[in-house]
């Protein structure tokens, strides 16, 4: 039987193999017929940078990757977390698979003068001074926030560079996600750059925002009158791996 150049029986249920679906807003991802295994990447929203005399950077959203069993031709619910704005932590991203719900935890907000320690999250927010710790990170998802500095001219967050994120090749190209926000400074210091993976830079004015759909943390600002940078929104990506037999 002719199959348009294909030798053997046509098997349309194998055509969805390596289909990649990226979700930048909440909704559903529907698998192709015949798909039973997927590779996943779930990144939460990043936390905002702290507004302070020397605000600290926001923590990156948690990042989860793995392989999971699914059913073919089935919709799976997705929630894409938003980045934290105006001294807020990022929100969680979730993906439902057959084994349950995969939850990446939102990044912690950076410390401020009134709340010097960083907030826990996927990755924790940085602290304003060395008397307070950075926020704790979530195991297997992120890192703790950095600790502030007491040495001139980089007081407080000390212009600390945001932590580097992690690269993923799930889309076929290497993309880095979940970079931490950079710290601000005070009295002539140099603000820190954002970490690779969408982290916003610290500033002597308003902090820079984390990049959208990376889960990057926002940069810290100098002076409470300047806003800390908002965290970057998250993303959920699914790659269908298996090929049906036939």
């Amino acid at each position: 039987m002719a199959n348009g150049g294909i030798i053997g029986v046509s098997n349309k249920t194998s055509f969805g193999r390596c289909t990649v679906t990226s979700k930048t807003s909440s909704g559903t991802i529907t698998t192709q017929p015949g798909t039973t295994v997927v590779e996943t990447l779930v990144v939460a929203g990043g936390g905002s940078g702290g507004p302070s005399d020397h605000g600290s950077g926001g923590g990156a959203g948690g990042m989860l990757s793995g392989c999971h069993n699914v059913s073919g031709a089935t919709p799976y619910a997705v929630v894409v977390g938003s980045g934290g704005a105006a001294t807020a932590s990022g929100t969680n991203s979730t993906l439902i698979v057959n084994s349950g719900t995969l939850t990446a935890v939102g990044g912690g907000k950076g410390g401020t003068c009134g709340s010097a320690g960083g907030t826990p999250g996927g990755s924790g927010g940085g602290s304003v001074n060395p008397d307070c710790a950075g926020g704790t990170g979530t195991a297997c998802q992120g890192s703790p926030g950095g600790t502030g500095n007491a040495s001139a001219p980089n007081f407080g967050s000390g212009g600390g560079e945001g932590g580097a994120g992690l690269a993923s090749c799930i889309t076929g190209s290497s993309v880095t996600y979940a970079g931490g926000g950079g710290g601000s400074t005070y009295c002539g210091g140099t603000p820190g750059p954002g970490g690779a993976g969408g982290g916003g830079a610290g500033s002597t004015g308003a902090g820079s925002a984390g990049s959208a759909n990376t889960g990057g943390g926002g940069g810290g600002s100098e002076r409470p009158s300047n806003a800390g940078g908002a965290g970057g929104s998250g993303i959920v990506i699914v790659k269908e791996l298996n090929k049906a037999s036939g």
Side-chain angles (χ1 to χ4, degrees):
M1 179 179 183
N3 287 320
I6 299 173
I7 299 174
V9 178
S10 175
N11 180 13
K12 293 182 174 59
T13 61
S14 69
F15 293 170
R17 186 186 184 209
C18 294
T19 295
V20 176
T21 304
S22 298
K23 294 289 288 185
T24 57
S25 61
S26 300
T28 59
I29 293 177
T30 300
T31 54
Q32 302 293 313
T35 295
T36 60
V37 179
V38 294
E39 180 183 357
T40 62
L41 178 70
V42 183
V43 181
S48 71
S52 176
D53 286 339
H54 32 66
S56 54
M63 179 173 168
L64 281 175
S65 60
C67 293
H68 303 276
N69 294 326
V70 293
S71 301
T74 301
Y76 289 91
V78 172
V79 173
V80 176
S82 58
T87 69
S89 296
T91 61
N92 298 349
S93 290
T94 61
L95 170 66
I96 295 176
V97 293
N98 285 4
S99 59
T101 302
L102 309 176
T103 302
V105 177
K109 66 181 180 180
T112 67
C113 282
S115 176
T119 301
S123 282
S127 73
V128 170
N129 61 59
D131 297 327
C132 301
T136 56
T138 301
C140 302
Q141 295 194 23
S143 303
T147 302
N149 182 15
S151 300
N154 287 325
F155 291 101
S157 297
E161 181 175 356
L166 294 175
S168 169
C169 295
I170 189 171
T171 61
S173 300
S174 180
V175 179
T176 302
Y177 302 91
S184 181
T185 187
Y186 187 59
C187 294
T190 302
S203 174
T204 55
S208 298
S211 299
N213 307 125
T214 66
S221 68
E222 184 183 10
R223 308 293 182 184
S225 58
N226 293 318
S233 54
I235 192 168
V236 175
I237 304 176
V238 172
K239 180 179 183 179
E240 301 181 46
L241 294 179
N242 67 306
K243 183 177 181 180
S245 60

